[in-house]
PDB file of all heavy atoms in Angstrom:
ATOM      1  N   GLY Q   1       0.774  -1.224   0.000  1.00  0.00           N
ATOM      2  CA  GLY Q   1       0.000   0.000   0.000  1.00  0.00           C
ATOM      3  C   GLY Q   1       0.806   1.274   0.000  1.00  0.00           C
ATOM      4  O   GLY Q   1       0.224   2.358   0.104  1.00  0.00           O
ATOM      5  N   LYS Q   2       2.125   1.178  -0.116  1.00  0.00           N
ATOM      6  CA  LYS Q   2       2.962   2.363  -0.075  1.00  0.00           C
ATOM      7  C   LYS Q   2       3.773   2.504  -1.354  1.00  0.00           C
ATOM      8  O   LYS Q   2       3.969   1.542  -2.097  1.00  0.00           O
ATOM      9  CB  LYS Q   2       3.900   2.318   1.135  1.00  0.00           C
ATOM     10  CG  LYS Q   2       3.182   2.348   2.470  1.00  0.00           C
ATOM     11  CD  LYS Q   2       4.145   2.527   3.619  1.00  0.00           C
ATOM     12  CE  LYS Q   2       3.404   2.664   4.934  1.00  0.00           C
ATOM     13  NZ  LYS Q   2       4.325   2.897   6.060  1.00  0.00           N
ATOM     14  N   GLN Q   3       4.238   3.717  -1.588  1.00  0.00           N
ATOM     15  CA  GLN Q   3       5.083   3.992  -2.737  1.00  0.00           C
ATOM     16  C   GLN Q   3       6.448   3.330  -2.569  1.00  0.00           C
ATOM     17  O   GLN Q   3       6.927   3.126  -1.448  1.00  0.00           O
ATOM     18  CB  GLN Q   3       5.270   5.498  -2.913  1.00  0.00           C
ATOM     19  CG  GLN Q   3       4.003   6.275  -3.228  1.00  0.00           C
ATOM     20  CD  GLN Q   3       3.651   6.239  -4.699  1.00  0.00           C
ATOM     21  OE1 GLN Q   3       4.352   5.638  -5.506  1.00  0.00           O
ATOM     22  NE2 GLN Q   3       2.565   6.882  -5.058  1.00  0.00           N
ATOM     23  N   ARG Q   4       7.059   3.002  -3.681  1.00  0.00           N
ATOM     24  CA  ARG Q   4       8.424   2.528  -3.661  1.00  0.00           C
ATOM     25  C   ARG Q   4       9.327   3.616  -3.095  1.00  0.00           C
ATOM     26  O   ARG Q   4       9.204   4.788  -3.468  1.00  0.00           O
ATOM     27  CB  ARG Q   4       8.870   2.155  -5.076  1.00  0.00           C
ATOM     28  CG  ARG Q   4      10.231   1.493  -5.150  1.00  0.00           C
ATOM     29  CD  ARG Q   4      10.619   1.246  -6.597  1.00  0.00           C
ATOM     30  NE  ARG Q   4      10.865   2.494  -7.305  1.00  0.00           N
ATOM     31  CZ  ARG Q   4      10.948   2.600  -8.622  1.00  0.00           C
ATOM     32  NH1 ARG Q   4      10.780   1.532  -9.386  1.00  0.00           N
ATOM     33  NH2 ARG Q   4      11.193   3.780  -9.176  1.00  0.00           N
ATOM     34  N   GLU Q   5      10.232   3.234  -2.215  1.00  0.00           N
ATOM     35  CA  GLU Q   5      11.068   4.180  -1.507  1.00  0.00           C
ATOM     36  C   GLU Q   5      12.541   3.913  -1.798  1.00  0.00           C
ATOM     37  O   GLU Q   5      13.014   2.776  -1.693  1.00  0.00           O
ATOM     38  CB  GLU Q   5      10.820   4.097   0.002  1.00  0.00           C
ATOM     39  CG  GLU Q   5      11.653   5.061   0.829  1.00  0.00           C
ATOM     40  CD  GLU Q   5      11.448   4.888   2.324  1.00  0.00           C
ATOM     41  OE1 GLU Q   5      10.776   3.915   2.720  1.00  0.00           O
ATOM     42  OE2 GLU Q   5      11.956   5.731   3.090  1.00  0.00           O
ATOM     43  N   PHE Q   6      13.256   4.962  -2.135  1.00  0.00           N
ATOM     44  CA  PHE Q   6      14.693   4.871  -2.314  1.00  0.00           C
ATOM     45  C   PHE Q   6      15.370   4.611  -0.976  1.00  0.00           C
ATOM     46  O   PHE Q   6      15.082   5.270   0.022  1.00  0.00           O
ATOM     47  CB  PHE Q   6      15.230   6.170  -2.925  1.00  0.00           C
ATOM     48  CG  PHE Q   6      16.720   6.293  -2.884  1.00  0.00           C
ATOM     49  CD1 PHE Q   6      17.521   5.574  -3.755  1.00  0.00           C
ATOM     50  CD2 PHE Q   6      17.329   7.136  -1.965  1.00  0.00           C
ATOM     51  CE1 PHE Q   6      18.899   5.689  -3.719  1.00  0.00           C
ATOM     52  CE2 PHE Q   6      18.707   7.263  -1.925  1.00  0.00           C
ATOM     53  CZ  PHE Q   6      19.484   6.534  -2.803  1.00  0.00           C
ATOM     54  N   VAL Q   7      16.304   3.658  -0.964  1.00  0.00           N
ATOM     55  CA  VAL Q   7      17.011   3.293   0.255  1.00  0.00           C
ATOM     56  C   VAL Q   7      18.478   3.693   0.185  1.00  0.00           C
ATOM     57  O   VAL Q   7      18.982   4.375   1.078  1.00  0.00           O
ATOM     58  CB  VAL Q   7      16.892   1.784   0.541  1.00  0.00           C
ATOM     59  CG1 VAL Q   7      17.747   1.396   1.750  1.00  0.00           C
ATOM     60  CG2 VAL Q   7      15.433   1.401   0.766  1.00  0.00           C
ATOM     61  N   ALA Q   8      19.175   3.262  -0.865  1.00  0.00           N
ATOM     62  CA  ALA Q   8      20.609   3.509  -0.946  1.00  0.00           C
ATOM     63  C   ALA Q   8      21.085   3.332  -2.375  1.00  0.00           C
ATOM     64  O   ALA Q   8      20.496   2.581  -3.152  1.00  0.00           O
ATOM     65  CB  ALA Q   8      21.384   2.571  -0.019  1.00  0.00           C
ATOM     66  N   VAL Q   9      22.162   4.021  -2.724  1.00  0.00           N
ATOM     67  CA  VAL Q   9      22.787   3.863  -4.026  1.00  0.00           C
ATOM     68  C   VAL Q   9      24.298   3.806  -3.865  1.00  0.00           C
ATOM     69  O   VAL Q   9      24.875   4.538  -3.055  1.00  0.00           O
ATOM     70  CB  VAL Q   9      22.382   5.003  -4.999  1.00  0.00           C
ATOM     71  CG1 VAL Q   9      22.750   6.376  -4.438  1.00  0.00           C
ATOM     72  CG2 VAL Q   9      23.003   4.793  -6.373  1.00  0.00           C
ATOM     73  N   LEU Q  10      24.918   2.921  -4.625  1.00  0.00           N
ATOM     74  CA  LEU Q  10      26.368   2.849  -4.746  1.00  0.00           C
ATOM     75  C   LEU Q  10      26.700   3.047  -6.210  1.00  0.00           C
ATOM     76  O   LEU Q  10      26.417   2.180  -7.042  1.00  0.00           O
ATOM     77  CB  LEU Q  10      26.894   1.512  -4.231  1.00  0.00           C
ATOM     78  CG  LEU Q  10      28.383   1.216  -4.441  1.00  0.00           C
ATOM     79  CD1 LEU Q  10      29.252   2.301  -3.837  1.00  0.00           C
ATOM     80  CD2 LEU Q  10      28.732  -0.141  -3.857  1.00  0.00           C
ATOM     81  N   ALA Q  11      27.271   4.185  -6.535  1.00  0.00           N
ATOM     82  CA  ALA Q  11      27.641   4.478  -7.908  1.00  0.00           C
ATOM     83  C   ALA Q  11      28.907   3.729  -8.291  1.00  0.00           C
ATOM     84  O   ALA Q  11      29.710   3.342  -7.432  1.00  0.00           O
ATOM     85  CB  ALA Q  11      27.838   5.979  -8.089  1.00  0.00           C
ATOM     86  N   SER Q  12      29.084   3.527  -9.581  1.00  0.00           N
ATOM     87  CA  SER Q  12      30.254   2.801 -10.064  1.00  0.00           C
ATOM     88  C   SER Q  12      31.549   3.488  -9.666  1.00  0.00           C
ATOM     89  O   SER Q  12      32.570   2.822  -9.481  1.00  0.00           O
ATOM     90  CB  SER Q  12      30.182   2.632 -11.581  1.00  0.00           C
ATOM     91  OG  SER Q  12      30.147   3.891 -12.236  1.00  0.00           O
ATOM     92  N   GLY Q  13      31.500   4.817  -9.523  1.00  0.00           N
ATOM     93  CA  GLY Q  13      32.667   5.558  -9.093  1.00  0.00           C
ATOM     94  C   GLY Q  13      32.906   5.557  -7.603  1.00  0.00           C
ATOM     95  O   GLY Q  13      33.900   6.123  -7.143  1.00  0.00           O
ATOM     96  N   GLY Q  14      32.012   4.963  -6.835  1.00  0.00           N
ATOM     97  CA  GLY Q  14      32.191   4.843  -5.400  1.00  0.00           C
ATOM     98  C   GLY Q  14      31.352   5.770  -4.549  1.00  0.00           C
ATOM     99  O   GLY Q  14      31.366   5.655  -3.323  1.00  0.00           O
ATOM    100  N   THR Q  15      30.622   6.677  -5.165  1.00  0.00           N
ATOM    101  CA  THR Q  15      29.786   7.603  -4.416  1.00  0.00           C
ATOM    102  C   THR Q  15      28.632   6.865  -3.747  1.00  0.00           C
ATOM    103  O   THR Q  15      27.993   6.013  -4.363  1.00  0.00           O
ATOM    104  CB  THR Q  15      29.247   8.702  -5.336  1.00  0.00           C
ATOM    105  OG1 THR Q  15      30.342   9.425  -5.893  1.00  0.00           O
ATOM    106  CG2 THR Q  15      28.352   9.662  -4.568  1.00  0.00           C
ATOM    107  N   LEU Q  16      28.361   7.210  -2.495  1.00  0.00           N
ATOM    108  CA  LEU Q  16      27.279   6.618  -1.719  1.00  0.00           C
ATOM    109  C   LEU Q  16      26.232   7.669  -1.390  1.00  0.00           C
ATOM    110  O   LEU Q  16      26.557   8.830  -1.158  1.00  0.00           O
ATOM    111  CB  LEU Q  16      27.806   6.040  -0.405  1.00  0.00           C
ATOM    112  CG  LEU Q  16      29.005   5.095  -0.469  1.00  0.00           C
ATOM    113  CD1 LEU Q  16      29.479   4.768   0.938  1.00  0.00           C
ATOM    114  CD2 LEU Q  16      28.647   3.831  -1.231  1.00  0.00           C
ATOM    115  N   ASN Q  17      24.979   7.240  -1.346  1.00  0.00           N
ATOM    116  CA  ASN Q  17      23.919   8.113  -0.889  1.00  0.00           C
ATOM    117  C   ASN Q  17      22.806   7.256  -0.312  1.00  0.00           C
ATOM    118  O   ASN Q  17      22.648   6.093  -0.688  1.00  0.00           O
ATOM    119  CB  ASN Q  17      23.390   8.994  -2.013  1.00  0.00           C
ATOM    120  CG  ASN Q  17      22.852  10.315  -1.506  1.00  0.00           C
ATOM    121  OD1 ASN Q  17      22.660  10.518  -0.311  1.00  0.00           O
ATOM    122  ND2 ASN Q  17      22.599  11.236  -2.429  1.00  0.00           N
ATOM    123  N   TYR Q  18      22.021   7.858   0.608  1.00  0.00           N
ATOM    124  CA  TYR Q  18      20.994   7.125   1.337  1.00  0.00           C
ATOM    125  C   TYR Q  18      19.718   7.928   1.440  1.00  0.00           C
ATOM    126  O   TYR Q  18      19.739   9.163   1.444  1.00  0.00           O
ATOM    127  CB  TYR Q  18      21.477   6.792   2.754  1.00  0.00           C
ATOM    128  CG  TYR Q  18      22.714   5.945   2.784  1.00  0.00           C
ATOM    129  CD1 TYR Q  18      23.977   6.529   2.833  1.00  0.00           C
ATOM    130  CD2 TYR Q  18      22.625   4.558   2.740  1.00  0.00           C
ATOM    131  CE1 TYR Q  18      25.119   5.742   2.850  1.00  0.00           C
ATOM    132  CE2 TYR Q  18      23.770   3.769   2.755  1.00  0.00           C
ATOM    133  CZ  TYR Q  18      25.009   4.374   2.807  1.00  0.00           C
ATOM    134  OH  TYR Q  18      26.137   3.593   2.817  1.00  0.00           O
ATOM    135  N   GLY Q  19      18.606   7.207   1.519  1.00  0.00           N
ATOM    136  CA  GLY Q  19      17.361   7.858   1.818  1.00  0.00           C
ATOM    137  C   GLY Q  19      17.346   8.381   3.243  1.00  0.00           C
ATOM    138  O   GLY Q  19      17.991   7.827   4.136  1.00  0.00           O
ATOM    139  N   GLY Q  20      16.603   9.456   3.443  1.00  0.00           N
ATOM    140  CA  GLY Q  20      16.612  10.118   4.735  1.00  0.00           C
ATOM    141  C   GLY Q  20      16.171   9.245   5.897  1.00  0.00           C
ATOM    142  O   GLY Q  20      16.672   9.398   7.019  1.00  0.00           O
ATOM    143  N   SER Q  21      15.272   8.316   5.661  1.00  0.00           N
ATOM    144  CA  SER Q  21      14.751   7.491   6.739  1.00  0.00           C
ATOM    145  C   SER Q  21      15.724   6.417   7.203  1.00  0.00           C
ATOM    146  O   SER Q  21      15.527   5.829   8.273  1.00  0.00           O
ATOM    147  CB  SER Q  21      13.428   6.842   6.320  1.00  0.00           C
ATOM    148  OG  SER Q  21      13.618   5.953   5.235  1.00  0.00           O
ATOM    149  N   VAL Q  22      16.767   6.142   6.428  1.00  0.00           N
ATOM    150  CA  VAL Q  22      17.722   5.094   6.785  1.00  0.00           C
ATOM    151  C   VAL Q  22      19.122   5.631   7.002  1.00  0.00           C
ATOM    152  O   VAL Q  22      20.003   4.877   7.445  1.00  0.00           O
ATOM    153  CB  VAL Q  22      17.753   3.972   5.730  1.00  0.00           C
ATOM    154  CG1 VAL Q  22      16.348   3.459   5.447  1.00  0.00           C
ATOM    155  CG2 VAL Q  22      18.421   4.444   4.442  1.00  0.00           C
ATOM    156  N   LYS Q  23      19.345   6.885   6.718  1.00  0.00           N
ATOM    157  CA  LYS Q  23      20.672   7.474   6.842  1.00  0.00           C
ATOM    158  C   LYS Q  23      21.190   7.338   8.269  1.00  0.00           C
ATOM    159  O   LYS Q  23      20.488   7.635   9.233  1.00  0.00           O
ATOM    160  CB  LYS Q  23      20.623   8.938   6.418  1.00  0.00           C
ATOM    161  CG  LYS Q  23      21.976   9.578   6.188  1.00  0.00           C
ATOM    162  CD  LYS Q  23      21.816  10.961   5.554  1.00  0.00           C
ATOM    163  CE  LYS Q  23      21.160  10.872   4.184  1.00  0.00           C
ATOM    164  NZ  LYS Q  23      21.044  12.200   3.520  1.00  0.00           N
ATOM    165  N   GLY Q  24      22.419   6.877   8.380  1.00  0.00           N
ATOM    166  CA  GLY Q  24      23.027   6.661   9.681  1.00  0.00           C
ATOM    167  C   GLY Q  24      22.804   5.280  10.238  1.00  0.00           C
ATOM    168  O   GLY Q  24      23.468   4.897  11.218  1.00  0.00           O
ATOM    169  N   ARG Q  25      21.893   4.520   9.663  1.00  0.00           N
ATOM    170  CA  ARG Q  25      21.604   3.170  10.131  1.00  0.00           C
ATOM    171  C   ARG Q  25      21.978   2.098   9.111  1.00  0.00           C
ATOM    172  O   ARG Q  25      22.331   0.982   9.497  1.00  0.00           O
ATOM    173  CB  ARG Q  25      20.120   3.026  10.479  1.00  0.00           C
ATOM    174  CG  ARG Q  25      19.656   3.964  11.585  1.00  0.00           C
ATOM    175  CD  ARG Q  25      18.218   3.647  12.000  1.00  0.00           C
ATOM    176  NE  ARG Q  25      17.266   3.861  10.911  1.00  0.00           N
ATOM    177  CZ  ARG Q  25      16.473   2.916  10.401  1.00  0.00           C
ATOM    178  NH1 ARG Q  25      16.502   1.682  10.902  1.00  0.00           N
ATOM    179  NH2 ARG Q  25      15.627   3.210   9.421  1.00  0.00           N
ATOM    180  N   PHE Q  26      21.873   2.411   7.817  1.00  0.00           N
ATOM    181  CA  PHE Q  26      22.133   1.445   6.747  1.00  0.00           C
ATOM    182  C   PHE Q  26      23.429   1.801   6.032  1.00  0.00           C
ATOM    183  O   PHE Q  26      23.795   2.982   5.921  1.00  0.00           O
ATOM    184  CB  PHE Q  26      21.003   1.444   5.718  1.00  0.00           C
ATOM    185  CG  PHE Q  26      19.688   0.866   6.196  1.00  0.00           C
ATOM    186  CD1 PHE Q  26      19.449   0.604   7.531  1.00  0.00           C
ATOM    187  CD2 PHE Q  26      18.688   0.601   5.268  1.00  0.00           C
ATOM    188  CE1 PHE Q  26      18.233   0.083   7.953  1.00  0.00           C
ATOM    189  CE2 PHE Q  26      17.477   0.077   5.678  1.00  0.00           C
ATOM    190  CZ  PHE Q  26      17.238  -0.181   7.015  1.00  0.00           C
ATOM    191  N   THR Q  27      24.099   0.773   5.509  1.00  0.00           N
ATOM    192  CA  THR Q  27      25.323   0.965   4.746  1.00  0.00           C
ATOM    193  C   THR Q  27      25.299   0.078   3.511  1.00  0.00           C
ATOM    194  O   THR Q  27      25.077  -1.131   3.616  1.00  0.00           O
ATOM    195  CB  THR Q  27      26.570   0.632   5.582  1.00  0.00           C
ATOM    196  OG1 THR Q  27      26.580   1.414   6.780  1.00  0.00           O
ATOM    197  CG2 THR Q  27      27.836   0.923   4.781  1.00  0.00           C
ATOM    198  N   ILE Q  28      25.545   0.674   2.351  1.00  0.00           N
ATOM    199  CA  ILE Q  28      25.649  -0.087   1.113  1.00  0.00           C
ATOM    200  C   ILE Q  28      27.122  -0.291   0.784  1.00  0.00           C
ATOM    201  O   ILE Q  28      27.950   0.602   1.009  1.00  0.00           O
ATOM    202  CB  ILE Q  28      24.904   0.614  -0.043  1.00  0.00           C
ATOM    203  CG1 ILE Q  28      24.861  -0.283  -1.294  1.00  0.00           C
ATOM    204  CG2 ILE Q  28      25.517   1.972  -0.357  1.00  0.00           C
ATOM    205  CD1 ILE Q  28      23.950   0.258  -2.400  1.00  0.00           C
ATOM    206  N   SER Q  29      27.458  -1.463   0.263  1.00  0.00           N
ATOM    207  CA  SER Q  29      28.838  -1.768  -0.083  1.00  0.00           C
ATOM    208  C   SER Q  29      28.874  -2.769  -1.226  1.00  0.00           C
ATOM    209  O   SER Q  29      27.857  -3.381  -1.571  1.00  0.00           O
ATOM    210  CB  SER Q  29      29.611  -2.306   1.123  1.00  0.00           C
ATOM    211  OG  SER Q  29      29.054  -3.534   1.575  1.00  0.00           O
ATOM    212  N   ARG Q  30      30.048  -2.950  -1.806  1.00  0.00           N
ATOM    213  CA  ARG Q  30      30.228  -3.860  -2.924  1.00  0.00           C
ATOM    214  C   ARG Q  30      31.470  -4.697  -2.707  1.00  0.00           C
ATOM    215  O   ARG Q  30      32.514  -4.189  -2.272  1.00  0.00           O
ATOM    216  CB  ARG Q  30      30.343  -3.059  -4.236  1.00  0.00           C
ATOM    217  CG  ARG Q  30      30.394  -3.917  -5.487  1.00  0.00           C
ATOM    218  CD  ARG Q  30      30.534  -3.049  -6.737  1.00  0.00           C
ATOM    219  NE  ARG Q  30      31.868  -2.481  -6.858  1.00  0.00           N
ATOM    220  CZ  ARG Q  30      32.140  -1.193  -6.886  1.00  0.00           C
ATOM    221  NH1 ARG Q  30      31.155  -0.300  -6.800  1.00  0.00           N
ATOM    222  NH2 ARG Q  30      33.390  -0.778  -7.002  1.00  0.00           N
ATOM    223  N   ASP Q  31      31.374  -5.980  -3.020  1.00  0.00           N
ATOM    224  CA  ASP Q  31      32.509  -6.889  -2.985  1.00  0.00           C
ATOM    225  C   ASP Q  31      32.784  -7.331  -4.422  1.00  0.00           C
ATOM    226  O   ASP Q  31      32.031  -8.127  -4.984  1.00  0.00           O
ATOM    227  CB  ASP Q  31      32.214  -8.092  -2.090  1.00  0.00           C
ATOM    228  CG  ASP Q  31      33.409  -9.004  -1.910  1.00  0.00           C
ATOM    229  OD1 ASP Q  31      34.355  -8.954  -2.721  1.00  0.00           O
ATOM    230  OD2 ASP Q  31      33.401  -9.783  -0.940  1.00  0.00           O
ATOM    231  N   ASP Q  32      33.846  -6.803  -5.004  1.00  0.00           N
ATOM    232  CA  ASP Q  32      34.139  -7.107  -6.403  1.00  0.00           C
ATOM    233  C   ASP Q  32      34.521  -8.570  -6.611  1.00  0.00           C
ATOM    234  O   ASP Q  32      34.278  -9.131  -7.683  1.00  0.00           O
ATOM    235  CB  ASP Q  32      35.262  -6.206  -6.913  1.00  0.00           C
ATOM    236  CG  ASP Q  32      34.829  -4.760  -7.045  1.00  0.00           C
ATOM    237  OD1 ASP Q  32      33.625  -4.510  -7.260  1.00  0.00           O
ATOM    238  OD2 ASP Q  32      35.694  -3.867  -6.941  1.00  0.00           O
TER     239      ASP Q  32
END
């Protein structure tokens, strides 16, 4: 019943960003 919500992004260049509701609690990472 809710809209899709952005959580986190990891750009190919390494830039990270988070949705406001999860910032400080969630971490996105990549293992090549």
Side-chain angles (χ1 to χ4, degrees):
K2 296 189 176 182
Q3 296 277 0
R4 187 184 68 194
E5 180 184 8
F6 168 75
V7 175
V9 58
L10 173 56
S12 60
T15 299
L16 309 173
N17 209 348
Y18 300 92
S21 64
V22 308
K23 194 171 297 182
R25 299 187 297 120
F26 290 12
T27 304
I28 187 171
S29 63
R30 186 181 73 240
D31 186 341
D32 290 332

